[in-house]
């Protein structure tokens, strides 16, 4: 089956009435939670995981994917109008977007952001359509040793490229790997780290862990800074950009599409990194860099295009290699596992309806977002009137009912509460729970692949050197570590270098 036939199959799945409805539901929810500061796609998807358990696998992933890339659109609205990013990836947009609002050009900023996001997302989906099958064929030739290397690479990139302290991220990844070993040994069935608890025999449930860390933990953190809703007093007009605006933005949109696509493919990349990189690129290329920070339209078009392109292309390492490149995709990875499907190179051959249905739904969802966001901006903005405390109380009730409904287990409810407190403490102390969840998801795959490698090699670690793919990946990891160490040492030397005051220099000598 060639790519066009596969895509036709995907559209036949995506155009089923139920799937079409949940594409719409996903992008609307995504836009809404992008508008509301403090929630974000991570907490929302974590809260919705129990609901997806009762749904068809394809339908549930289509909805979750819509929430993810829809939130990138929604985060733009408050960034531009209030200089209050609804999503982390929209932080950069607030710089010039808010200045355009102060100049009476809020509508133009939102319009160019929507158009750039649509173009970036579409370019990225086209790249996903043609690149994913080719990459899957390469991945199918890899052995278990190469998969060990891929899992280690994913963990390394997430902890080193992501935001926050590298040491803290490594600690969280180590904790995640340790938690993934709790329960019964997958080979001989012996219990590990259960301490006599019957509830721990099957290990920690992924949904309970995710809902605790990102659902309850984030809600508790938001409760501390709960504020009254606020209304937008800015008049939004002239949403469709003029011909001059489009001409000034066209280059930024084109570059942002390509840059965002490739950063999204990289495990550990994401909307924040791609938007920062795009803004830096546009400012460097500009004839007059001083315009940036004062309402330059390229400063809105480029980053918004890049973060939407990266959110789509990030599905390539998830679906094809089984490596979630960020926390949101780790949750979607977990949702697939809940339905008995393991993301990886076999997914295209074993579940073509799922794989191509998701891709086709992205074309539809991206078009829906363009149609919805421009005329309905005023409606989404009014959501800011809702008090955060009301949303949090309702969400906590849904969390506890949802987690109990999956396994009818009171133990899972205690797990949610325990990890909720842990997630809240992490927020307070600067520890990012993202690497923990990623390691928790990748841990079982890493262990399985490692033990298979040991069986094949008779217990010798030489297999990771003699296997060409594994050796290449581990070599890249070693170079990355070396680069990181050298870069850190150079920064320290610059900080500790003595500064000689100008007046102390003896010119005559």
């Amino acid at each position: 089956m060639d790519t066009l036939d596969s895509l036709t199959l995907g559209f036949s799945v995506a155009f089923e009435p139920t799937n079409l409805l949940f594409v719409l539901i996903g992008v609307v929810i995504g836009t809404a939670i992008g508008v509301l500061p403090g929630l974000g796609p991570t907490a929302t998807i974590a809260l919705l995981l129990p609901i997806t358990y009762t749904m068809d696998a394809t339908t549930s992933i289509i909805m979750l994917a819509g929430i993810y890339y829809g939130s990138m659109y929604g985060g733009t609205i408050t960034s531009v109008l209030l200089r209050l990013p609804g999503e982390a990836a929209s932080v950069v947009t607030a710089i010039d977007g808010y200045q355009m609002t102060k100049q009476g050009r809020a509508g133009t900023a939102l319009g160019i952001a929507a158009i750039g996001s649509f173009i970036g997302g579409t370019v990225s989906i086209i790249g996903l359509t043609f690149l994913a099958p080719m990459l899957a064929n390469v991945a199918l030739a890899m052995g278990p040793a190469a998969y060990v290397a891929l899992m280690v690479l994913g963990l390394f990139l997430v902890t080193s490229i992501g935001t926050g302290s590298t040491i803290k991220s490594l600690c969280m990844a180590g904790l995640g790997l340790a938690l993934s070993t709790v329960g019964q040994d997958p080979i001989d069935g012996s219990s590990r780290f259960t301490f006599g608890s019957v509830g721990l025999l099957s290990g920690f449930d992924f949904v309970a862990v995710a809902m605790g860390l990102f659902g309850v933990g984030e809600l508790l953190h938001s409760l501390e800074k709960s504020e009254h809703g606020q209304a937008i007093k800015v008049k939004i007009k002239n949403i469709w950009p003029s011909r001059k605006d489009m001409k000034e933005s066209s280059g930024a949109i084109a570059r942002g599409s390509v840059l965002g696509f490739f950063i999204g493919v990289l495990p550990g990349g994401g909307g924040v990194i791609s938007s920062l990189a795009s803004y830096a690129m546009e400012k460097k290329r500009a004839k007059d860099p001083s315009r940036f920070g004062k309402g330059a339209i390229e400063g809105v078009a480029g980053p918004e295009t890049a973060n939407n392109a990266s959110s789509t292309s990030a599905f390539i390492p998830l679906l094809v290699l089984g490596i979630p490149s960020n926390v949101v995709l780790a949750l979607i990875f977990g949702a697939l596992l809940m339905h008995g499907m393991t993301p990886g190179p076999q997914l295209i051959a074993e579940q073509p309806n799922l794989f191509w249905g998701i891709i086709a739904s992205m074309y539809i969802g991206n078009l829906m977002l363009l149609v919805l966001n421009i005329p309905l901006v005023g409606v989404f903005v009014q959501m800011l009137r809702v008090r955060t405390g009301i949303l949090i109380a309702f969400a906590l009730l849904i969390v506890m009912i949802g987690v109990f409904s999956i396994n009818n287990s009171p133990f899972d409810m205690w797990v949610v509460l325990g990890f909720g407190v842990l997630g809240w403490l992490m927020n307070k102390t600067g520890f990012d729970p993202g690497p923990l969840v990623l390691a928790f998801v990748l841990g079982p795959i890493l262990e399985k692949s490692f033990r298979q490698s040991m069986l094949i090699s008779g217990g010798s670690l030489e297999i990771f050197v003699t296997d060409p793919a594994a050796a290449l990946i581990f070599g890249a990891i070693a170079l990355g570590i070396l680069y990181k160490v050298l870069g850190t040492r150079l920064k320290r030397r610059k900080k500790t270098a003595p500064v000689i005051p100008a007046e102390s220099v003896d010119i005559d000598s």
Side-chain angles (χ1 to χ4, degrees):
M1 186 184 293
D2 60 26
T3 303
L4 292 178
D5 289 338
S6 300
L7 198 56
T8 302
L9 170 65
F11 276 108
S12 69
V13 173
F15 275 118
E16 291 178 8
T18 303
N19 291 336
L20 206 57
L21 173 63
F22 276 92
V23 173
L24 178 61
I25 291 173
V27 297
V28 170
I29 292 175
T31 304
I33 60 102
V35 169
L36 294 170
L39 286 180
T42 306
T44 304
I45 290 175
L47 297 175
L48 291 176
L49 281 176
I51 297 174
T52 64
Y53 188 74
T54 61
M55 297 166 58
D56 175 73
T58 303
T59 304
S60 63
I61 303 304
I62 282 174
M63 182 186 72
L64 295 180
I67 292 172
Y68 178 39
Y69 56 79
S71 66
M72 298 298 171
Y73 275 77
T76 308
I77 297 174
T78 48
S79 291
V80 170
L81 300 180
L82 293 174
R83 203 174 187 176
L84 185 66
E87 229 297 298
S90 300
V91 171
V92 181
T93 309
I95 299 172
D96 284 278
Y98 184 65
Q99 291 299 321
M100 290 182 69
T101 297
K102 291 172 69 176
Q103 297 165 11
R105 303 179 65 204
T108 303
L110 292 172
I112 202 67
I115 292 169
S117 297
F118 171 75
I119 294 172
T122 302
V123 168
S124 196
I125 297 166
I126 293 171
L128 171 61
T129 302
F130 291 97
L131 181 61
M134 293 188 291
L135 191 58
N137 291 331
V138 175
L140 282 170
M142 293 182 177
Y147 259 88
V148 171
L150 275 176
M151 297 301 109
V152 175
L153 176 64
L155 291 171
F156 168 74
L157 289 173
V158 166
T159 53
S160 61
I161 296 177
T163 57
S165 166
T166 302
I167 299 298
K168 289 181 177 180
S169 296
L170 287 171
C171 291
M172 290 297 98
L175 179 58
L177 289 174
L179 291 171
S180 71
T181 64
V182 174
Q184 291 181 306
D185 187 287
I187 294 179
D188 60 27
S190 61
S191 61
R192 303 185 301 191
F193 309 111
T194 59
F195 305 103
S197 171
V198 177
L200 288 176
L201 278 175
S202 56
F204 289 108
D205 185 76
F206 171 76
V207 176
V209 172
M211 290 177 73
L213 286 173
F214 297 108
V216 177
E218 189 61 40
L219 292 175
L220 290 174
H221 183 63
S222 298
L223 195 59
E224 290 185 314
K225 53 181 181 180
S226 179
E227 298 174 354
H228 291 276
Q230 52 186 313
I232 303 293
K233 298 180 181 179
V234 178
K235 289 185 178 181
I236 303 171
K237 55 185 179 179
N238 300 327
I239 292 180
W240 285 104
S242 66
R243 185 175 297 180
K244 179 185 177 184
D245 292 328
M246 288 300 301
K247 184 178 179 181
E248 290 178 352
S249 306
S250 58
I253 290 173
R255 289 184 290 271
S257 299
V258 177
L259 181 67
F261 174 79
F262 284 107
I263 290 178
V265 171
L266 181 69
V272 178
I273 296 173
S274 61
S275 58
L276 284 169
S278 175
Y279 191 84
M281 178 189 291
E282 295 309 314
K283 189 173 182 179
K284 188 175 182 180
R285 288 180 56 89
K287 293 180 180 178
D288 182 14
S290 64
R291 292 174 50 247
F292 284 77
K294 300 177 182 177
I297 195 168
E298 304 98 303
V300 175
E304 281 302 305
T305 302
N307 75 48
N308 279 272
S310 67
S311 67
T312 302
S313 62
F315 279 85
I316 293 178
L318 171 70
L319 298 176
V320 177
L321 301 177
I323 302 177
S325 58
N326 57 49
V327 182
V328 178
L329 292 178
L331 297 177
I332 295 177
F333 185 105
L336 284 166
L337 294 179
M338 284 168 51
H339 287 281
M341 299 176 186
T342 303
Q346 296 89 357
L347 189 68
I348 298 178
E350 295 176 358
Q351 301 290 339
N353 285 11
L354 172 75
F355 182 84
W356 292 106
I358 292 171
I359 291 179
S361 74
M362 290 180 178
Y363 284 99
I364 300 168
N366 213 31
L367 184 60
M368 285 180 175
L369 282 167
L370 181 65
V371 173
L372 286 171
N373 271 263
I374 290 182
L376 298 180
V377 166
V379 176
F380 286 116
V381 161
Q382 296 309 311
M383 292 182 63
L384 290 168
R385 292 178 180 268
V386 181
R387 291 183 61 179
T388 307
I390 296 173
L391 293 173
I392 290 172
F394 180 72
L396 282 173
L397 177 64
I398 296 298
V399 165
M400 302 312 293
I401 295 173
V403 75
F404 179 78
S405 67
I406 295 176
N407 299 316
N408 293 326
S409 170
F411 178 79
D412 285 347
M413 298 176 73
W414 287 108
V415 171
V416 168
L417 292 175
F419 277 95
V421 173
L422 179 63
W424 172 70
L425 290 173
M426 286 180 181
N427 271 317
K428 298 281 285 184
T429 55
F431 283 87
D432 183 7
L436 188 156
V437 172
L438 285 163
F440 183 77
V441 169
L442 296 178
I445 304 172
L446 176 61
E447 181 187 7
K448 179 182 176 183
S449 300
F450 181 79
R451 293 175 76 165
Q452 286 176 341
S453 301
M454 292 297 96
L455 289 171
I456 292 170
S457 65
S460 173
L461 294 174
E462 288 183 3
I463 189 171
F464 298 113
V465 179
T466 56
D467 184 292
L472 182 64
I473 296 170
F474 276 120
I477 294 172
L479 288 174
I481 293 173
L482 182 63
Y483 175 79
K484 188 85 175 176
V485 170
L486 291 176
T488 304
R489 286 187 176 181
L490 284 173
K491 286 180 181 178
R492 286 177 181 174
R493 284 184 180 180
K494 287 180 180 179
K495 288 182 179 179
T496 57
V499 179
I500 303 174
E503 60 270 16
S504 68
V505 179
D506 187 357
I507 298 174
D508 295 332
S509 62

